[in-house]
Amino acid sequence: MQSNNKKKICIVVSSLGKGGAEKSAATISNMLFNLGHEIYMVSIQDFVDYSYSGRLLNLGKLKKKNDNLFGRINRLLVFKKFLKEHDFDLVIDNRSRVQAYRELIVSKFLYKAKAIYMVHNYNESKAFTKYKWLNNYLYKNRQLVTVSKASKSNLEKKYKFKKITCIYNGFNFKEIEEKAALNDAEQQFLEKYILYFGRIDDYQKNLKLLLLGYKKSELPNKDVKLVIMGDGADYDEVVNYSKKIDIENHIIFKRFESNPFPYVKNAYFTVLTSRFEGFPMVIPESLSLGTPVVSVDCKSGPSEVIINRYNGLLVENFDEMALANAFNLMVNKPEVYETCKKNAKASVKQFSIEKITEQWRQLINEYDYIK
């Protein structure tokens, strides 16, 4: 192991594509690499959409070749050999850890280095196993990092975890602005529109609420389109639901875009209707481009970014009429909209990659206290 202040760090991810947690892991690799650490990435699935730093072990390629029992055992052995050969100072585990037997093996038998466990979701069933006793056994004395204050508070109340730190996701706002300037002419075929961009997962993202709120608002009659951009298991279901409630002619469905930011920049506002989150990255991304956000007040994250009527609107969750009224307010009250638009960029400075890198630097400097 290295004796100086620079660490050899392994960041373990579900993948490097198509999700906020995955994008966050890629950003962390860039931040720690820029601090001078030696970075290695391990991806469980073969999705690589986001720019990352360091060397990559892509276990997803092995998974594609063989995903039966022997294939899973082989990948576990390859992972074990990789960890042993590199003798890491620190492992940052960015995955969802929901399978009890796998997490017992990984946390207690594979990770010989000190470990930091990222928690990207307020809903603990998406972050940990269903066995509370096992979660306490595995992580009670480990360093956990949540991406929202509400998530940190929730875990402190429900578990006996001793070391939990909140570090928000970091954003390279300069890069986002540069990407938003690309292909700008492509947006001209769209007039005024509002935008949802993210995973098409109706259970978490509650896109049916979005469709109902839009239908009950004045936006269809004012020819303000709804653009839904993304991929996911529920794509066809959401498309069919828009037909069922007879608004398909007002909705534009677009598949996942590796660069959604020209659409974000040109949107009238963006929308989030999730049942739960960890820290929705789409909110700071939108605000950094001067695009206000209308979001439900779900657990967790939106209320830690959005100041109602200052940089967006925060709406009671699971209420389609409250959502419709918020849409109407943005369109019918120019003074509200312009205030939110004017304040958007400055309201997210605290999430800049420079400020979040400093928080990671401080945590890594506490290396000796990490178990």
Side-chain angles (χ1 to χ4, degrees), residues 8-46:
K8 193 174 184 180
I9 300 174
C10 178
I11 303 177
V12 185
V13 297
S14 299
S15 78
L16 284 164
K18 299 187 178 180
E22 293 77 12
K23 183 185 288 187
S24 171
T27 302
I28 290 170
S29 77
N30 297 330
M31 290 190 291
L32 298 185
F33 180 83
N34 289 335
L35 286 174
H37 300 296
E38 185 178 350
I39 305 299
Y40 293 75
M41 306 289 290
V42 177
S43 181
I44 308 303
Q45 300 181 51
D46 186 23

Coordinates of all heavy atoms in Angstrom, one line a residue, residues 8-46:
K8 N -4.6 4.4 -3.5 CA -5.0 3.5 -4.6 C -6.4 3.1 -4.3 O -6.7 2.4 -3.4 CB -4.0 2.3 -4.7 CG -4.2 1.5 -5.9 CD -3.1 0.4 -5.9 CE -3.1 -0.4 -7.2 NZ -2.1 -1.4 -7.2
I9 N -7.3 3.6 -5.2 CA -8.8 3.5 -4.9 C -9.5 2.7 -5.9 O -9.3 2.9 -7.1 CB -9.4 4.9 -4.7 CG1 -8.7 5.7 -3.6 CG2 -10.9 4.8 -4.5 CD1 -9.1 7.1 -3.5
C10 N -10.3 1.8 -5.5 CA -11.2 1.0 -6.4 C -12.6 1.5 -6.2 O -13.2 1.4 -5.1 CB -11.1 -0.5 -6.1 SG -12.2 -1.5 -7.1
I11 N -13.3 1.9 -7.3 CA -14.7 2.3 -7.2 C -15.5 1.2 -7.9 O -15.3 0.9 -9.1 CB -14.9 3.7 -7.9 CG1 -14.0 4.7 -7.3 CG2 -16.4 4.1 -7.9 CD1 -14.1 6.1 -7.9
V12 N -16.4 0.6 -7.2 CA -17.2 -0.5 -7.7 C -18.6 0.1 -8.0 O -19.3 0.7 -7.2 CB -17.4 -1.6 -6.6 CG1 -18.1 -2.8 -7.2 CG2 -16.0 -2.1 -6.2
V13 N -19.1 -0.2 -9.2 CA -20.3 0.4 -9.7 C -21.2 -0.7 -10.4 O -20.7 -1.7 -10.8 CB -20.1 1.5 -10.8 CG1 -19.3 2.6 -10.2 CG2 -19.3 0.9 -12.0
S14 N -22.5 -0.5 -10.3 CA -23.4 -1.4 -11.1 C -23.1 -1.3 -12.6 O -23.1 -2.3 -13.3 CB -24.9 -1.1 -10.8 OG -25.1 -1.2 -9.4
S15 N -23.0 -0.1 -13.0 CA -22.6 0.2 -14.4 C -22.1 1.6 -14.5 O -22.1 2.3 -13.5 CB -23.7 -0.1 -15.4 OG -24.6 1.0 -15.4
L16 N -21.7 2.0 -15.7 CA -21.3 3.4 -16.0 C -22.2 4.0 -17.0 O -21.8 4.8 -17.8 CB -19.8 3.4 -16.4 CG -18.8 3.2 -15.3 CD1 -17.4 2.9 -15.9 CD2 -18.7 4.5 -14.4
G17 N -23.5 3.7 -16.9 CA -24.4 4.2 -17.9 C -25.9 4.2 -17.4 O -26.2 3.4 -16.6
K18 N -26.6 5.1 -18.0 CA -28.1 5.1 -17.9 C -28.7 5.3 -16.5 O -29.7 4.8 -16.2 CB -28.7 3.9 -18.6 CG -28.3 3.7 -20.0 CD -29.0 2.5 -20.7 CE -28.6 2.5 -22.2 NZ -29.3 1.3 -22.8
G19 N -28.0 6.0 -15.6 CA -28.6 6.3 -14.3 C -27.9 7.3 -13.6 O -26.7 7.6 -13.8
G20 N -28.6 7.9 -12.6 CA -28.0 9.0 -11.8 C -26.9 8.5 -10.9 O -25.8 9.1 -10.8
A21 N -27.1 7.3 -10.2 CA -26.0 6.8 -9.4 C -24.8 6.4 -10.2 O -23.6 6.6 -9.7 CB -26.6 5.6 -8.6
E22 N -25.0 5.9 -11.4 CA -23.9 5.6 -12.2 C -23.1 6.8 -12.7 O -21.9 6.8 -12.7 CB -24.4 4.8 -13.4 CG -25.0 3.4 -13.1 CD -26.4 3.5 -12.5 OE1 -27.0 4.5 -12.5 OE2 -26.9 2.4 -12.0
K23 N -23.9 7.9 -13.0 CA -23.2 9.1 -13.4 C -22.4 9.7 -12.3 O -21.3 10.2 -12.4 CB -24.2 10.1 -13.9 CG -23.6 11.4 -14.4 CD -24.7 12.4 -14.8 CE -25.4 12.1 -16.1 NZ -26.3 13.1 -16.5
S24 N -23.0 9.6 -11.1 CA -22.3 10.1 -9.9 C -21.0 9.4 -9.6 O -20.0 10.0 -9.3 CB -23.2 9.9 -8.6 OG -22.6 10.2 -7.5
A25 N -21.0 8.0 -9.8 CA -19.8 7.3 -9.6 C -18.7 7.7 -10.6 O -17.5 7.8 -10.2 CB -20.1 5.8 -9.8
A26 N -19.1 7.9 -11.9 CA -18.1 8.4 -12.9 C -17.6 9.7 -12.5 O -16.3 10.0 -12.6 CB -18.8 8.4 -14.2
T27 N -18.4 10.6 -11.9 CA -17.9 11.9 -11.5 C -17.0 11.8 -10.3 O -16.0 12.5 -10.3 CB -19.1 12.8 -11.2 OG1 -20.0 12.9 -12.3 CG2 -18.7 14.2 -10.7
I28 N -17.3 10.9 -9.4 CA -16.4 10.7 -8.2 C -15.0 10.3 -8.7 O -14.0 10.7 -8.2 CB -17.0 9.7 -7.2 CG1 -18.2 10.4 -6.5 CG2 -16.0 9.3 -6.2 CD1 -19.0 9.4 -5.7
S29 N -15.0 9.4 -9.7 CA -13.7 8.9 -10.2 C -12.9 10.1 -10.8 O -11.7 10.1 -10.6 CB -13.9 7.8 -11.3 OG -14.3 8.4 -12.5
N30 N -13.6 11.0 -11.5 CA -12.9 12.1 -12.0 C -12.4 13.1 -10.9 O -11.3 13.6 -11.0 CB -13.8 12.9 -13.0 CG -14.3 12.1 -14.2 OD1 -13.5 11.2 -14.6 ND2 -15.5 12.4 -14.7
M31 N -13.2 13.3 -9.9 CA -12.8 14.2 -8.8 C -11.6 13.6 -8.1 O -10.6 14.3 -7.8 CB -14.0 14.4 -7.9 CG -15.1 15.2 -8.4 SD -16.4 15.7 -7.2 CE -17.1 14.1 -6.8
L32 N -11.6 12.3 -7.8 CA -10.5 11.7 -7.0 C -9.3 11.6 -7.8 O -8.2 11.7 -7.3 CB -11.0 10.4 -6.5 CG -12.1 10.4 -5.5 CD1 -12.4 9.0 -4.9 CD2 -11.9 11.4 -4.3
F33 N -9.4 11.3 -9.1 CA -8.3 11.3 -10.0 C -7.6 12.7 -10.1 O -6.4 12.8 -10.1 CB -8.7 10.9 -11.4 CG -7.6 10.8 -12.4 CD1 -6.8 9.7 -12.5 CD2 -7.4 11.9 -13.3 CE1 -5.8 9.6 -13.5 CE2 -6.4 11.8 -14.2 CZ -5.6 10.7 -14.3
N34 N -8.4 13.7 -10.1 CA -7.9 15.1 -10.2 C -7.2 15.5 -8.9 O -6.4 16.4 -8.9 CB -9.0 16.1 -10.6 CG -9.4 15.9 -12.0 OD1 -8.6 15.5 -12.9 ND2 -10.6 16.3 -12.3
L35 N -7.5 14.8 -7.8 CA -6.8 15.0 -6.5 C -5.5 14.3 -6.5 O -4.8 14.4 -5.5 CB -7.7 14.6 -5.4 CG -8.9 15.5 -5.0 CD1 -9.8 14.9 -4.0 CD2 -8.5 16.9 -4.6
G36 N -5.2 13.5 -7.5 CA -3.9 12.7 -7.5 C -4.0 11.3 -7.1 O -3.0 10.6 -7.1
H37 N -5.2 10.8 -6.8 CA -5.3 9.4 -6.4 C -5.2 8.5 -7.7 O -5.6 8.8 -8.8 CB -6.6 9.1 -5.6 CG -6.7 9.9 -4.4 ND1 -5.8 9.8 -3.3 CD2 -7.5 10.9 -4.0 CE1 -6.1 10.6 -2.4 NE2 -7.2 11.3 -2.7
E38 N -4.8 7.2 -7.4 CA -4.8 6.2 -8.5 C -6.1 5.5 -8.5 O -6.5 4.8 -7.5 CB -3.6 5.2 -8.3 CG -3.4 4.2 -9.4 CD -2.2 3.3 -9.1 OE1 -1.5 3.6 -8.2 OE2 -2.1 2.3 -9.9
I39 N -6.8 5.6 -9.6 CA -8.2 5.1 -9.6 C -8.4 3.9 -10.5 O -7.9 3.9 -11.7 CB -9.2 6.3 -10.2 CG1 -9.0 7.5 -9.3 CG2 -10.6 5.8 -10.2 CD1 -9.3 7.4 -7.8
Y40 N -9.2 3.0 -10.0 CA -9.6 1.8 -10.8 C -11.1 1.7 -10.7 O -11.7 2.0 -9.6 CB -9.0 0.5 -10.3 CG -7.5 0.4 -10.5 CD1 -6.6 1.2 -9.7 CD2 -6.9 -0.4 -11.4 CE1 -5.2 1.1 -9.8 CE2 -5.5 -0.5 -11.6 CZ -4.7 0.3 -10.8 OH -3.4 0.2 -11.0
M41 N -11.8 1.3 -11.7 CA -13.2 1.1 -11.8 C -13.5 -0.4 -12.0 O -12.9 -1.0 -12.8 CB -13.9 2.0 -12.9 CG -13.5 3.4 -12.8 SD -14.3 4.3 -11.5 CE -16.0 4.3 -11.9
V42 N -14.6 -0.8 -11.3 CA -15.1 -2.2 -11.6 C -16.6 -2.1 -11.8 O -17.3 -1.6 -11.0 CB -14.9 -3.1 -10.4 CG1 -15.5 -4.5 -10.6 CG2 -13.4 -3.3 -10.1
S43 N -17.0 -2.5 -13.1 CA -18.4 -2.4 -13.5 C -19.0 -3.8 -13.5 O -18.5 -4.7 -14.2 CB -18.5 -1.7 -14.8 OG -19.9 -1.5 -15.2
I44 N -20.2 -3.9 -12.9 CA -20.8 -5.2 -12.9 C -21.6 -5.5 -14.2 O -21.7 -6.7 -14.6 CB -21.8 -5.3 -11.7 CG1 -21.2 -4.9 -10.4 CG2 -22.5 -6.7 -11.6 CD1 -19.9 -5.7 -10.0
Q45 N -22.0 -4.5 -14.8 CA -22.7 -4.6 -16.1 C -22.0 -3.9 -17.2 O -21.2 -2.9 -16.9 CB -24.2 -4.1 -16.0 CG -25.0 -4.7 -14.9 CD -26.4 -4.2 -14.9 OE1 -27.1 -4.1 -15.9 NE2 -26.9 -3.8 -13.7
D46 N -22.2 -4.3 -18.4 CA -21.5 -3.7 -19.6 C -22.3 -2.6 -20.2 O -22.7 -2.6 -21.3 CB -21.3 -4.8 -20.6 CG -20.4 -4.4 -21.8 OD1 -19.6 -3.4 -21.6 OD2 -20.5 -4.9 -22.9

